[in-house]
């Protein structure tokens, strides 16, 4: 079922229910008002008739009938009986056997002074009347509200016709307005159907930029931008990875071809194998870097796994680095002793934290003549802040904003071995941890990378 049909049906049902409740309420109120008004009129008629019968003996019931027939009244014909203290009919304007009454009803009237009831299709009123001699009489009157019931029936018929007409009008208007309201969505669907994987830069019309549909179009455009950026990043990754892998593979192929051109001494073959081993090591490092770069694209939930002490990770990296690279020096110190151990604890995956600071420390040592990295730890109530600085070659000012791009290497770093992947991995991991990484650098004087991570 289409949304347009659903909306029209739901709207019709809601309006129909409201109209039904409203119509029933009006009908019941009208019926109650009709009954109350008729009871009041019947009581007045009963007292007036009793007064004439009791005070004016010369007026008999035949004359009253004549008066009733020639009087415009909604109570015609009203039957009135007047009972004395012995519950005997003292006066009447109609035959007594045509009026409903019983000793129990008469006693209830004497007790309550006034009673309203119904018998068959007629309303019955019982009230007390006292004459000039202080004699108490029970006046019982009954009549059928023909005119009132007719008006009530007309009201009911009018409401039924109006209700059916209103429901029909609601159905038609519901389909019209639902179609009109959903027309922008149909237009958006048509625009979306024309967008392909090779045309992600195409944007939807945002209309007036105010209503919910405009918000939907804006959010969809943002999603398209993210998809386009992701696809471009993937294309760039594949292209750069292919380029980076092709260079060492081409070198390996050339060395093998040269070695096979003629017979060589065992020492020469040994040198070729050493060169191949070096190229192979470079391939392994590049492949590991590519794997880490791919892993850094994981969901945020995959990197938030445990509580990790930043200082402990840094000291472990210091030990591993100085053991594997004896020429490297790593100096770690606290700028301020943290007041709480949680200030240097983050919620993350330990291996990723090691990757971030391992890359930064390795770069600081590699690009410095003294092969030294200075690490400083400080913390506040919100974040743990770690800075890694060196006195190396530095980064040109116009290239600082590009150092976190995959495979990007500054001009003055091309003489050093590397693939341009490490800083990109650091940036992505820190971003997934809701942290920030920044750099301050000056050519020939060194660089400082600052990592800010929210602690537990």
């Amino acid at each position: 079922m289409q949304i347009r049909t659903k909306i029209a049906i739901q709207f019709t049902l809601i309006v129909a229910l409201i109209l039904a409740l409203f119509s029933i309420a009006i009908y019941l109120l009208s019926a109650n008002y009709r009954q109350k008004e008729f009871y009041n009129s019947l009581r007045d008629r009963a007292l007036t008739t009793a007064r004439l019968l009791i005070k004016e003996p010369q007026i008999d019931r035949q004359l009253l009938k004549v008066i009733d027939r020639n009087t415009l009244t909604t109570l015609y014909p009203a039957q009135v009986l007047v009972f004395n203290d012995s519950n005997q009919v003292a006066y009447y304007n109609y035959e007594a056997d045509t009026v409903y009454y019983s000793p129990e009803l008469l006693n209830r009237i004497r007790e309550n002074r006034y009673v309203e009831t119904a018998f068959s299709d007629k309303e019955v009123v019982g009230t007390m009347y006292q004459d000039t001699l202080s004699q108490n009489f029970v006046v019982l009157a009954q009549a059928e509200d023909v005119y009132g019931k007719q008006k009530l029936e007309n009201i009911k018929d009018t409401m039924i016709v109006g209700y059916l007409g209103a429901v029909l009008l609601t159905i038609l208007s519901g389909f019209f307005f639902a179609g009109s309201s959903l027309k922008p969505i149909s237009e958006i669907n048509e625009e979306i159907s024309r967008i392909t994987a090779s045309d992600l830069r195409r944007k939807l019309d945002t209309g007036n930029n105010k209503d919910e549909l405009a918000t939907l179009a804006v959010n969809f455009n943002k999603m398209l931008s993210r998809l386009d950026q992701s696809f471009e990043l993937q294309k760039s990754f594949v292209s750069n990875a292919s380029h980076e892998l092709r260079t060492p593979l081409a070198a390996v192929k050339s060395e093998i071809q040269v070695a096979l051109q003629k017979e060589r001494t065992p020492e020469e073959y040994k040198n070729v194998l050493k060169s191949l081993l070096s190229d192979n090591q470079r391939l392994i490092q590049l492949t590991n870097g590519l794997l880490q770069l791919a892993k850094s694209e994981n969901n945020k939930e995959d990197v938030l796994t445990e509580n990790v002490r930043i200082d402990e990770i840094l000291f472990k990296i210091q030990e591993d680095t100085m053991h594997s690279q004896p020429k490297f020096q790593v100096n770690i110190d606290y700028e301020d002793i943290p007041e709480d151990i949680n200030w240097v604890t983050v919620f993350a995956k330990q291996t990723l934290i090691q990757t971030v600071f391992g890359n930064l420390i390795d770069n600081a040592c590699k690009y410095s003549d003294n092969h030294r990295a200075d690490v400083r730890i400080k913390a506040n109530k919100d974040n743990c802040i770690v800075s890694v600085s060196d006195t190396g070659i530095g980064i040109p000012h116009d290239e600082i904003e590009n150092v976190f791009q995959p495979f990007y290497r500054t001009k003055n770093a091309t003489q050093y071995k590397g693939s341009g992947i490490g800083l990109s991995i650091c940036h992505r991991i820190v971003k997934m941890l809701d942290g920030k990484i920044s750099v301050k650098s000056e050519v020939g004087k060194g660089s400082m990378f600052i990592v800010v991570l929210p602690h537990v």
Side-chain angles (χ1 to χ4, degrees), residues 215-227:
T215 303
L216 174 64
V218 170
N219 290 333
F220 191 84
N221 287 338
K222 290 180 180 178
M223 183 189 70
L224 288 177
S225 298
R226 292 193 297 269
L227 286 174

Side-chain angles (χ1 to χ4, degrees), residues 367-414:
Y367 293 110
S368 302
D369 291 337
N370 60 2
H371 303 299
R372 176 187 174 95
D374 291 309
V375 182
R376 294 292 179 267
I377 306 171
K378 66 177 181 179
N380 54 38
K381 293 183 179 180
D382 298 316
N383 301 302
C384 177
I385 305 168
V386 179
S387 63
V388 180
S389 58
D390 60 67
T391 56
I393 61 176
I395 303 171
H397 181 72
D398 58 343
E399 296 186 77
I400 286 181
E401 61 181 12
N402 297 321
V403 295
F404 295 113
Q405 297 298 324
F407 304 102
Y408 185 85
R409 302 195 72 198
T410 60
K411 296 177 182 178
N412 60 346
T414 54

Side-chain angles (χ1 to χ4, degrees), residues 185-326:
I185 296 182
S186 299
E187 294 175 352
I188 289 177
N189 284 331
E190 291 180 3
E191 292 185 58
I192 292 175
S193 64
R194 293 193 292 267
I195 297 176
T196 61
S198 59
D199 192 23
L200 293 177
R201 294 184 180 179
R202 188 171 187 170
K203 299 296 186 252
L204 301 179
D205 182 14
T206 57
N208 58 12
N209 291 317
K210 294 180 179 179
D211 57 18
E212 290 81 358
L213 292 177
T215 303
L216 174 64
V218 170
N219 290 333
F220 191 84
N221 287 338
K222 290 180 180 178
M223 183 189 70
L224 288 177
S225 298
R226 292 193 297 269
L227 286 174
D228 182 54
Q229 183 180 5
S230 178
F231 284 178
E232 288 298 325
L233 184 63
Q234 185 181 42
K235 292 177 183 178
S236 176
F237 176 85
V238 173
S239 176
N240 290 321
S242 301
H243 175 74
E244 293 294 329
L245 288 171
R246 183 174 57 186
T247 301
L249 287 173
V252 169
K253 179 181 179 181
S254 298
E255 291 178 8
I256 294 175
Q257 288 176 338
V258 170
L260 293 175
Q261 284 180 354
K262 63 178 181 178
E263 292 292 331
R264 299 183 183 275
T265 64
E267 187 65 26
E268 288 176 331
Y269 281 123
K270 186 175 182 181
N271 290 332
V272 172
L273 290 175
K274 287 181 179 179
S275 179
L276 291 175
L277 178 62
S278 177
D279 289 334
N280 181 68
Q281 185 63 31
R282 182 184 175 188
L283 279 172
I284 291 174
Q285 291 177 349
L286 180 58
T287 303
N288 289 336
L290 292 174
L291 288 174
Q292 286 183 329
L293 186 61
K295 288 181 179 179
S296 67
E297 295 290 343
N298 290 342
N299 293 328
K300 184 176 179 179
E301 291 76 10
D302 296 332
V303 301
L304 301 177
T305 57
E306 58 185 335
N307 288 334
V308 179
R309 284 277 301 273
I310 295 292
D311 51 354
E312 292 181 354
I313 294 295
L314 290 171
F315 286 119
K316 185 177 187 305
I317 293 173
Q318 178 190 41
E319 181 182 353
D320 294 341
T321 301
M322 297 178 69
H323 177 74
S324 61
Q325 300 285 349

